[in-house]
Amino acid sequence: MEEAIAMNGGDGPNSYTQNSKFQEQGSDRAKALLSNSIQEFLDIQESLQVFSIADLGCSVGPNTFSCVQTITKAVRLKYKAHSPKLEVPEFHVFFNDNVTNDFNTLFKALPVDRHYMAAGVPGSFYGRLFPKASMNFIHSSYSLHWLTKVPEEVLEEASPACNKGRITYVLSSCEVVKAFTSQFLSDMEAFFSARSLEMERCGLMALLIPCRPEGTLPSDSIFCQFFECLSGALKDLVKEGLVTKALVDSFNLPIYIPDASELKKAITSNKHLELLKMEEVYFPPMLTSPEEVLACSRHVRAAMEGILCNHFGSQIMDQLFEKYSEKLEEFSKMPHFIRVKNLENLFVLVKRNSLA
């Protein structure tokens, strides 16, 4: 059973709309890579009338609109550079996310000056979303670290991979890490298989995904450490009697932060896809003041409140994220934070090859 992950909707103080600055920073750092990749690798089709673009895991904005603007601008420039007299095709943009996503907020925020036609496509991107060979360009950022589900053996008490007492695999046994790694690779196989069918021949796909440094442990990823702080906050609520230990023991976040080699393996195992580019993108998380700590806490709340409410109930969310802010502040003062303080992401460019 897939987890129906969705960011907080609306535009209130805990919404994803108001609390997605981390993703905005990462996308801004990757903007030049995205634009330059289109200039370098996009094949111009002179007879093409409609250029189809998909943004997978679009959430509710505003970052998805910025990414789409970068893509359409770069495609338009590539066409004009190819031949000033060549007519640029019309753009049709498909915004995709899970069925529980707040598409109403997304479409209310569509830019009025956009140069494309828009459509919503609800459904998991780990399965097929579009007809065969219909997509010219596919984009996704900050979505592929979400797994379809927590590995089943992690929640089975009799399993060697049981992860009782933890909500992540970060400081867990090798068996737990292997279970999460296997789930990630299985999900990636499904993702790239679906995309290889949907992309037209020589179509492009650009991905931005949180990663950890090559050859490092999960604990060396600051993303993973953020999740461990959330684990610490839940344990504090158990001590205070606000949450039962059994409820925490039965919860794991369906998240995996890979290294570059794991992502490369998933791409190159698909004979229809060619890996063109894989580059690291860094930016600091900014936890140097109480205001920045609060901003980080709100970001995580906007992304994870839905899945946490489903398991623990909405009544503890305020207390949980107060504790979480405290844990983040404690972490920001630790020597380990100084060592792993940069947020690492991978920009990946993939091309659909000409094989049938």
Side-chain angles (χ1 to χ4, degrees), residues 20-231:
S20 54
K21 294 296 183 182
F22 280 3
Q23 293 90 336
E24 181 183 13
Q25 281 183 283
S27 295
D28 284 348
R29 295 289 177 103
K31 187 176 292 185
L33 285 170
L34 179 58
S35 181
N36 292 339
S37 294
I38 291 171
Q39 299 304 316
E40 184 177 356
F41 293 106
L42 180 68
D43 291 337
I44 295 298
Q45 301 177 51
E46 296 188 0
S47 61
L48 189 67
Q49 294 185 324
V50 178
F51 192 95
S52 296
I53 300 167
D55 189 52
L56 308 183
C58 64
S59 190
V60 293
N63 298 330
T64 184
F65 305 133
S66 177
C67 292
V68 167
Q69 182 182 24
T70 298
I71 294 166
T72 55
K73 181 180 179 181
V75 173
R76 191 177 291 109
L77 288 173
K78 180 66 181 281
Y79 267 81
K80 291 302 182 184
H82 180 76
S83 173
K85 296 181 180 180
L86 183 62
E87 185 176 354
V88 179
E90 291 187 294
F91 294 106
H92 196 181
V93 179
F94 297 89
F95 294 95
N96 157 259
D97 214 310
N98 284 320
V99 295
T100 50
N101 185 58
D102 184 1
F103 283 98
N104 287 335
T105 292
L106 173 74
F107 288 120
K108 284 178 183 177
L110 274 170
V112 294
D113 59 346
R114 66 187 184 276
H115 300 288
Y116 55 84
M117 298 174 189
V121 181
S124 169
F125 52 54
Y126 289 113
R128 285 284 303 278
L129 294 166
F130 307 103
K132 289 183 179 179
S134 63
M135 303 309 300
N136 303 99
F137 197 95
I138 294 176
H139 175 267
S140 184
S141 63
Y142 296 105
S143 297
L144 288 177
H145 59 294
W146 286 101
L147 302 175
T148 58
K149 63 179 182 179
V150 173
E152 293 177 5
E153 58 268 42
V154 166
L155 300 175
E156 296 173 355
E157 289 198 23
S159 169
C162 180
N163 202 33
K164 189 175 182 179
R166 298 187 182 281
I167 70 167
T168 79
Y169 61 91
V170 177
L171 300 174
S172 301
S173 67
C174 293
E175 288 80 9
V176 174
V177 175
K178 287 178 182 177
F180 273 89
T181 303
S182 178
Q183 185 66 52
F184 173 79
L185 293 175
S186 175
D187 287 348
M188 288 299 98
E189 180 182 2
F191 176 85
F192 289 116
S193 176
R195 303 295 83 77
S196 69
L197 292 171
E198 296 165 348
M199 296 165 70
E200 63 142 6
R201 292 185 182 186
C202 301
L204 294 177
M205 175 165 54
L207 309 172
L208 187 63
I209 179 171
C211 281
R212 67 179 193 272
E214 185 72 37
T216 61
L217 297 171
S219 58
D220 291 320
S221 163
I222 196 166
F223 286 108
C224 292
Q225 290 293 342
F226 284 170
F227 307 146
E228 276 299 295
C229 288
L230 186 60
S231 178

Side-chain angles (χ1 to χ4, degrees), residues 280-292:
E280 296 173 344
V281 179
Y282 293 96
F283 65 96
M286 305 296 287
L287 294 177
T288 59
S289 69
E291 292 76 19
E292 290 173 356

